[in-house]
Structures are given as structure tokens and as C-alpha cells.
Amino acid sequence: ASPLAAPYSIALMLISSSTYYMTALEPQPLLSPDIAVLQQQAETVWSVKEFAVAVLNGLAQVLWLNDVPGSAWGGIILLIGVLAASRIDALISIYAALLATGTAVLLGLVQSDIMLGLYGYNAVLLSLVLFGRAFRMSRHSFLMISILSIVSVIFCAGMKPFFAAVGAPYAGFPFAMISICVMLGRRYFAKLTYMEPSTWKTPEKSGENPSAE
């Protein structure tokens, strides 16, 4: 089979399996045998506080600091630490967590998973690694982070049926796979400027020549 068909095949597999949990899309019974149970999830009304906690838990998941249900302290603590090192990192991680969490809510994914920060987590990691480190800051790299944050939600939901069935953790898998794919395909992103790992620092300083210090 042509390798050109691999992205289509993988995307179709992930999207098909992830729609099982996307009750806002009204999946057909063929894809979701217990849709009557999942449909109740689509009727969940989110409060501003719940959404804020979910966003902050996406940050807290980076260091597994969301042990207290309904508490946002883990995310706040991590955000303070990130802010102390880099204002850009803090802003882009909040943006990615907001975008990914919002996408998960709009797609009607399981509220308990969203509240744990499972969907914001991957987006936060992608933003911290790719924006201002692997790729120089620009409107194009910002667009890439925006797209990948949304893609990571679908990827995470798509992996759940396969990994959860055998009791394997799947939360960090989207981040790892998406990062690898982006790095391997970096030569094709003509609008993005790739930076060697040896130059990675905070986004404010990343790209500087190490020998200049």
C-alpha cells in the first residue's frame, strides 16, 4: 500500500473511534451501541467554575498535581512556576489548555475525563515543546499550535477505546506521537523555522547561540 494513504487511514481510525465519546456529534448506534447512556453526557451543563478547574487540571496533569477532585490548586501552582521562568510559556500553555478543553466540551466528551485535564494536558505539552523551542515564535507556529491542540483532543479520544480496553494509560500518547510526526516532517513546513535542540531555552531566549554566553 502506498505510504501516502497512511495519514488517511490513521486519521479515519482515530476519528471513527473517538466519535464514540463525542456525543455532541450524535454518533449512530452502529458506532456507539450504548449511545443512550452516553447521550446523557451531551446534556451536561458546564459552569464557569467547572470549566476553569478543567483547564487548570490540564496544566496540573503535566506534573500529576491534580489529585484533589474539583481543586484547581495543582494547576495554579504549576502556572506560577512556569510564569516565573517564562511569561510566554505561561500564556501559550493557558491558551492551549483553554482551546483543547473547550474543544472537548464542544464535542461532548466525557465530563469526568475533561475535569481530570486529560485533554488539556497534551495540548499544554505540545505548546511548551513546539512554540518558541522546536520552532521559532511566529504567527505560523502559533497557528500550528492551535491546530495541534484541537487534533490532540481527537487523538486522545481516539486512543481511549484501544488503550482503556487493556488498562493501559493513554493520556500522554497523543503528545508523543504528534511531536514525533511534527519533528519528522519539519523540513516540509516552509513557513516555520526549526531550531536545533541545543539552542532550546525559554521562548524569550530560545534560538540564541550557546557559544555566545
Side-chain angles (χ1 to χ4, degrees):
S2 171
L4 295 178
Y8 160 76
S9 301
I10 295 173
L12 182 63
M13 178 189 70
L14 292 174
I15 292 174
S16 297
S17 58
S18 64
T19 54
Y20 183 91
Y21 301 98
M22 296 178 185
T23 52
L25 298 182
E26 300 181 2
Q28 297 301 309
L30 179 63
L31 290 177
S32 182
D34 57 345
I35 190 62
V37 176
L38 286 176
Q39 193 61 38
Q40 298 176 0
Q41 176 64 32
E43 301 173 359
T44 300
V45 178
W46 283 77
S47 67
V48 174
K49 178 182 178 181
E50 287 174 331
F51 184 77
V53 170
V55 170
L56 288 169
N57 276 341
L59 292 163
Q61 277 283 359
V62 174
L63 292 177
W64 305 294
L65 294 176
N66 62 335
D67 293 334
V68 183
S71 173
W73 283 109
I76 293 173
I77 292 172
L78 180 69
L79 187 58
I80 292 173
V82 173
L83 182 61
S86 168
R87 288 176 293 177
I88 294 176
D89 274 342
L91 289 173
I92 195 65
S93 60
I94 292 174
Y95 168 74
L98 281 168
L99 183 57
T101 303
T103 299
V105 171
L106 289 175
L107 291 176
L109 292 169
V110 179
Q111 185 180 30
S112 59
D113 288 348
I114 300 175
M115 288 296 294
L116 285 173
L118 296 183
Y119 297 106
Y121 162 73
N122 286 283
V124 169
L125 288 176
L126 286 168
S127 70
L128 292 176
V129 170
L130 300 179
F131 185 77
R133 285 188 174 83
F135 296 94
R136 192 177 300 278
M137 287 186 296
S138 68
R139 64 179 183 274
H140 296 105
S141 58
F142 180 79
L143 175 62
M144 178 184 69
I145 288 301
S146 301
I147 294 172
L148 293 182
S149 294
I150 295 173
V151 169
S152 70
V153 173
I154 299 174
F155 205 137
C156 191
M159 288 290 95
K160 184 175 180 179
F162 301 101
F163 282 59
V166 295
Y170 63 93
F173 191 75
F175 159 68
M177 294 306 299
I178 292 173
S179 296
I180 291 172
C181 289
V182 170
M183 294 297 187
L184 291 176
R186 64 184 183 274
R187 68 183 66 181
Y188 301 107
F189 301 133
K191 298 288 187 179
L192 300 176
T193 302
Y194 175 74
M195 295 188 290
E196 294 294 336
S198 61
T199 67
W200 291 9
K201 301 175 185 176
T202 59
E204 291 88 342
K205 297 181 179 180
S206 194
E208 294 179 356
N209 189 340
S211 62
E213 295 184 349

